[in-house]
Amino acid sequence: MKAIYWVILALCLSSCLAESVTPITKVGDEVLDTRLFGTWYWHQARESGYIHIGKANDQEYDIVMVAINQASMKPDVSRYTGHSSTLANNNTYLNIITSNDEQPMYLFVKYTVNKQSMAISLAKTSVVKNAILSGTLKGRAPDLSAKVFDTQDNIQKFVTDNDDPLFEE
């Protein structure tokens, strides 16, 4: 069985996430990372479930997540598309589309994979929010969320330069 280790078990997207109008890399810049394909399971005291990652097309993943609340046993099913990015720091990231409105928004997720496990970490909203407020990134930081409206080059530089505080491991 493939296991997934969550630093933050919150891919059930909420309003307190950091999102960007621009992905880390463009769709199609890299080939799909086939190590991600399959069904990844997790179990914690309050929640368990799985993520199935398949191929949406030659450039994007089809991501289905089922999270089950252990108290109510009620499943929450979510479906996303996304693509992977590798930066100069040799770390790997997913760019997950969180909305299919006129302007798609991307959620950044760092991941590592070995034969039987995957670890993922969502970009920390507080780090992105501070970068927006300091002028390092262009965007808005209302309430608990952060929305980045910067260029791909600036986003790549920010992610590379701030990988450790941005993604808890």
Side-chain angles (χ1 to χ4, degrees):
M1 176 168 61
K2 292 182 176 180
I4 186 167
Y5 298 97
W6 295 79
V7 172
I8 299 175
L9 187 56
L11 198 53
C12 301
L13 304 172
S14 67
S15 61
C16 61
L17 295 176
E19 297 176 299
S20 174
V21 296
T22 307
I24 296 171
T25 59
K26 294 178 188 168
V27 174
D29 279 359
E30 297 185 28
V31 297
L32 295 176
D33 184 347
T34 58
R35 299 175 305 156
L36 292 174
F37 292 151
T39 304
W40 302 88
Y41 299 90
W42 81 88
H43 181 76
Q44 293 182 326
R46 294 183 181 157
E47 188 173 67
S48 64
Y50 65 88
I51 294 178
H52 179 79
I53 301 176
K55 186 176 179 180
N57 55 52
D58 288 339
Q59 300 173 340
E60 294 178 295
Y61 303 102
D62 184 22
I63 303 165
V64 177
M65 185 179 113
V66 177
I68 302 163
N69 179 295
Q70 294 297 350
S72 68
M73 293 309 291
K74 181 179 178 183
D76 180 19
V77 180
S78 305
R79 187 171 206 155
Y80 309 98
T81 58
H83 66 280
S84 52
S85 300
T86 305
L87 294 180
N89 59 7
N90 290 320
N91 290 329
T92 50
Y93 308 91
L94 284 171
N95 304 269
I96 297 175
I97 298 174
T98 58
S99 70
N100 290 319
D101 299 332
E102 290 179 24
Q103 177 65 61
M105 297 296 285
Y106 293 89
L107 174 69
F108 302 146
V109 179
K110 182 178 178 180
Y111 72 91
T112 56
V113 179
N114 67 36
K115 290 182 181 183
Q116 291 299 313
S117 67
M118 173 172 56
I120 66 172
S121 177
L122 300 174
K124 286 182 67 177
T125 304
S126 61
V127 175
V128 176
K129 190 171 186 153
N130 288 340
I132 292 169
L133 295 174
S134 72
T136 303
L137 284 175
K138 293 176 185 164
R140 289 183 295 122
D143 302 324
L144 300 175
S145 65
K147 308 292 182 201
V148 177
F149 301 103
D150 215 325
T151 65
Q152 201 157 56
D153 287 342
N154 286 346
I155 291 169
Q156 287 178 5
K157 180 176 178 5
F158 175 75
V159 170
T160 301
D161 292 349
N162 296 280
D163 185 84
D164 286 342
L166 186 58
F167 300 98
E168 290 182 7
E169 294 194 31

